[in-house]
Amino acid sequence: MYIELEKQMDTDTVLGRKKIMLVDDDPVILAAGKEILRDAYRVYPVLSGAILLELLDHVLPDLVLLNVEMPDMNGYQIITMLKNNPKWESIPVIFLTSRADEDSELKGLSMGAVDYITKPFSASLLIKRIENHLLNAEQNGQLKHFNTALQDMVAMKTSQLVSLQNSIINVMTDLVEFRDYATGGHIIRTQAYMRLMAEKMLEEGIYAEETSEWSLEQLVAASQLHDIGKIGISDAILHKPGKLTQEEFETMKKHVEIGVHAISRIESDLEWESVDISFLHHARMIAGSHHEKWDGTGYPLGLQGQDIPLEGRLMAIADVYDALISVRPYKQPMSTEEAKRIIESGSSTHFDPLLVGIFTKVASQFASVARSEVYR
């Protein structure tokens, strides 16, 4: 039986004919319905719900005409099974019934039927209803296909933008490290520290409300631009083989303002382009506030406590830790144990005490990053 059905399906595909399953326990109705529709559609007469369900495993129709009043399994039971099966849920179902009351019609439509036709029905009415619903189903299918294609295109464009963004970041961070070669590996290590702290913070629900809309990947990528303003600082200060004078230090502090200004200009250029600039927001917050201190003695604005953007408070720990364990022209590196003690001793003065608690929990991973050749 199914071999013959598959042969007929191949023929119908070539001819472009839609497949309709007519389900009714009355052979007379089946014969009449088939005669009405046979010129335009391939019609499968089905005597019961059980036969329909068996047939659906071999033939997928474009529409089902379903009688409500049938023994063993009525139309309501059948449509429930169709709509609960992902393979069949999108098949349009038209109820055929002798029940003409409003409640029955409402019940059928609420269960997922696209139409409700009362017997006896005219041939022309039945054909027109079927045409309309098949057209709607085809248009819905095309719309679904279009939406899927559109989503794929958006995903591809987003991926391309992310790749472009990352390429630009890499070039800019390379320029910073080229200018400030004494801090080699600093950017890639602080990026790793930021990821460790942010992941732990999110895991433990610290500052959950503030971070509810954050993208971890954007935050971590943005951290690479924390010292972008050093591009505007002279080589004489950046490469000085010793401690800076107070005047030189004041000049060095301007890298914060330079970085914020550069990032703000990019934000301003993109704000009308309907693109997600939250990455740049993170970058600006980090560049502008990672030298602020919890007790208000930092720079450039002397912000205090939670007035300091959270991104900057995270970056402050990552930045200071890496400076402590790194070689500088004016100092030798500290051990990771010494750096850990200094960060913890700075709780509530230099650093956010909640974030110091997070740091302590991932300090061993910080140390692994600091010792790894991958981050040099």
Side-chain angles (χ1 to χ4, degrees), residues 6-213:
E6 288 171 0
K7 288 180 179 178
Q8 182 61 53
M9 287 170 61
D10 291 340
T11 301
D12 293 335
T13 300
V14 172
L15 296 175
R17 292 202 296 176
K18 302 287 188 181
K19 297 180 290 293
I20 294 176
M21 289 185 181
L22 174 56
V23 188
D24 201 299
D25 61 318
D26 185 343
V28 175
I29 295 293
L30 292 181
K34 184 173 181 179
E35 184 63 28
I36 292 171
L37 301 173
R38 65 185 302 169
D39 290 341
Y41 305 105
R42 171 60 181 170
V43 182
Y44 296 85
V46 182
L47 277 167
S48 69
I51 295 174
L52 171 67
L53 297 175
E54 182 182 359
L55 185 57
L56 285 171
D57 285 330
H58 301 271
V59 180
L60 192 65
D62 297 288
L63 184 140
V64 173
L65 295 169
L66 180 59
N67 185 21
V68 174
E69 302 90 354
M70 292 187 292
D72 300 327
M73 192 185 302
N74 64 39
Y76 298 137
Q77 293 170 312
I78 294 169
I79 195 172
T80 298
M81 286 187 277
L82 295 181
K83 296 305 176 184
N84 287 334
N85 189 314
K87 294 189 298 184
W88 307 330
E89 63 181 353
S90 62
I91 301 172
V93 175
I94 297 177
F95 273 133
L96 301 177
T97 179
S98 57
R99 296 181 182 180
D101 62 287
E102 184 178 322
D103 289 342
S104 295
E105 182 173 355
L106 183 60
K107 180 178 180 180
L109 295 174
S110 65
M111 295 183 76
V114 297
D115 211 340
Y116 193 96
I117 302 176
T118 55
K119 303 175 186 177
F121 49 79
S122 71
S124 58
L125 175 63
L126 179 63
I127 290 172
K128 181 52 67 176
R129 293 279 184 90
I130 290 173
E131 285 178 357
N132 288 342
H133 291 299
L134 286 175
L135 178 60
N136 286 339
E138 184 176 354
Q139 291 173 339
N140 287 337
Q142 291 173 346
L143 182 60
K144 184 177 181 181
H145 176 74
F146 174 78
N147 285 337
T148 300
L150 183 61
Q151 289 172 0
D152 290 343
M153 183 178 69
V154 169
M156 180 183 69
K157 292 294 184 183
T158 299
S159 177
Q160 291 174 342
L161 285 172
V162 170
S163 296
L164 177 61
Q165 165 190 295
N166 291 338
S167 295
I168 293 171
I169 291 171
N170 290 336
V171 170
M172 294 176 74
T173 53
D174 284 347
L175 285 172
V176 173
E177 293 212 323
F178 177 77
R179 291 288 323 285
D180 192 11
Y181 52 78
T183 62
H186 173 71
I187 291 175
I188 190 172
R189 287 192 299 274
T190 53
Q191 186 181 15
Y193 302 147
M194 281 287 280
R195 180 180 292 278
L196 289 170
M197 288 198 65
E199 285 178 342
K200 192 65 176 175
M201 181 183 70
L202 294 171
E203 176 189 323
E204 301 209 350
I206 303 298
Y207 295 120
E209 183 177 351
E210 192 168 347
T211 61
S212 61
E213 311 230 341

